């Protein structure tokens, strides 16, 4: 069965709304793990709008499952990752003005630059995952630069408004997953997944880990993070 990486960025979003010390993402990670999270994911953005450097350092000490650091492919972030050594890094595109990550990383158009960053990270024993759209050329380029993982962007699937387009997007993800595995990549997925749309993605053959944030933290605000994580594990298993 697919594993669950809980993205706790929005715990830090609430804290930063007041620039105070609560709620602490380190405490949230601990509770999420106790409730069955298989991994903890945080995105250290260039503008530090939610997760702070201190959070990543402390999470490295406290996370008992695995820590996935999402970051832009920049020299600043590369230095931080090599210093902190998360269990894996997910490279994502980043624009200052966006509300959340929009679209996958363009590997084809910057293969030399991304390839160099992947080499440096993997040379430091940090496996790299590339957050990409499920396009054959992007998957082939990711395999060419020998990233260990890709994370398929599920945004278009999540935004599909009718059954036919949802079905079409799911087929694109399924074919992308198959192509990637044949090319030697391991496959994760995420973005926009919810309690209601997660099961078909979790059922894609070969899919390893789903990184899910907004829907879990939204539910956690109302029912508590342990229940929210437990219920997402059930949704992935198709039992709610
Ligand atoms: N995966 C990646 C690469 C992301 O950038 C995000 C958003 O931070 C997620 C997964 C989680 O998306 P959501 O918050 O919509 O579940």
């Amino acid at each position: 069965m697919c594993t669950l990486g809980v993205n706790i960025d929005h715990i830090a979003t609430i804290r930063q709304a007041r620039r105070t010390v609560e709620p602490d993402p380190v405490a949230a990670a601990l509770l999420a793990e106790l409730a069955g999270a298989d991994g903890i994911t945080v995105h250290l953005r260039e503008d530090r709008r939610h997760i702070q450097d201190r959070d990543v350092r402390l999470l490295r000490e406290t996370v008992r499952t695995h820590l996935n650091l999402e970051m832009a492919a920049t020299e600043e972030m590369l230095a931080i990752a090599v210093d902190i050594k998360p269990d894996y890094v997910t490279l994502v595109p980043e624009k200052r003005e966006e509300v959340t990550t929009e679209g996958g990383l363009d590997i084809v158009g910057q293969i030399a630059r991304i390839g160099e960053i992947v080499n440096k990270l993997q040379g430091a024993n940090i496996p790299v995952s590339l957050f990409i759209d499920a396009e054959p050329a992007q998957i082939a380029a990711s395999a060419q630069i020998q990233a260990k993982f890709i994370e398929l962007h599920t945004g278009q699937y999540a935004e599909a408004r009718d059954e036919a387009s949802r079905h079409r997007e799911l087929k694109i993800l399924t074919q992308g997953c198959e192509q990637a595995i044949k090319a030697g990549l391991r496959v994760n997925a995420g973005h926009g997944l919810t309690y209601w749309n997660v099961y078909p993605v979790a059922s894609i053959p070969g899919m390893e880990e789903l990184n899910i944030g907004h829907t879990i933290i939204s539910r956690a605000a109302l029912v508590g993070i342990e229940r929210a994580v437990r219920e997402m594990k059930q949704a992935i298993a198709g039992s709610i």
Side-chain angles (χ1 to χ4, degrees), residues 5 14 25 35 39 64 74 76 92 103 107 145 189 197:
I14 299 172
R64 287 283 161 265
T74 63
E76 182 205 7
V92 298
I107 310 298
I145 59 177
N197 68 18

Side-chain angles (χ1 to χ4, degrees), residues 7 9 70 90 92 100-101 131 151 190-193 211-214:
N7 180 315
D9 291 350
E70 284 180 11
T90 302
V92 298
T100 181
T101 315
F131 181 60
E151 178 173 329
H191 210 277
L193 296 175
N211 285 306
I212 308 180
H214 187 264

Side-chain angles (χ1 to χ4, degrees), residues 98-212:
E98 70 193 355
V99 174
T100 181
T101 315
E102 292 167 358
L105 202 53
D106 176 21
I107 310 298
V108 175
Q110 38 182 354
I111 194 156
R113 195 176 75 79
I114 302 285
E116 194 182 318
I117 296 213
V118 169
N119 269 342
K120 285 183 182 162
L121 285 164
Q122 294 192 159
N125 282 326
I126 305 167
V128 178
S129 178
L130 302 173
F131 181 60
I132 57 169
D133 294 327
E135 287 171 9
Q138 298 294 350
I139 296 167
S142 302
Q144 193 187 325
I145 59 177
Q146 297 186 324
K148 288 276 182 299
F149 295 84
I150 53 170
E151 178 173 329
L152 292 177
H153 184 308
T154 50
Q156 275 110 308
Y157 162 79
E159 279 160 25
R161 285 289 157 260
D162 56 73
E163 209 37 59
S165 34
R166 204 167 3 259
H167 187 260
R168 194 174 53 242
E169 293 301 334
L170 187 64
K171 195 166 167 200
I172 292 171
L173 292 168
T174 305
Q175 287 170 343
C177 187
E178 192 184 346
Q179 179 195 343
I181 290 170
K182 277 197 187 131
L185 293 158
R186 296 173 67 182
V187 184
N188 301 332
H191 210 277
L193 296 175
T194 67
Y195 293 86
W196 302 276
N197 68 18
V198 72
Y199 184 61
V201 176
S203 305
I204 293 175
M207 186 61 73
E208 288 201 32
E209 181 149 279
L210 302 179
N211 285 306
I212 308 180

Side-chain angles (χ1 to χ4, degrees), residues 15-29:
R15 178 190 61 193
Q16 297 310 114
R18 285 290 178 93
R19 306 246 187 289
T20 176
V21 294
E22 63 176 1
D24 193 331
V26 178

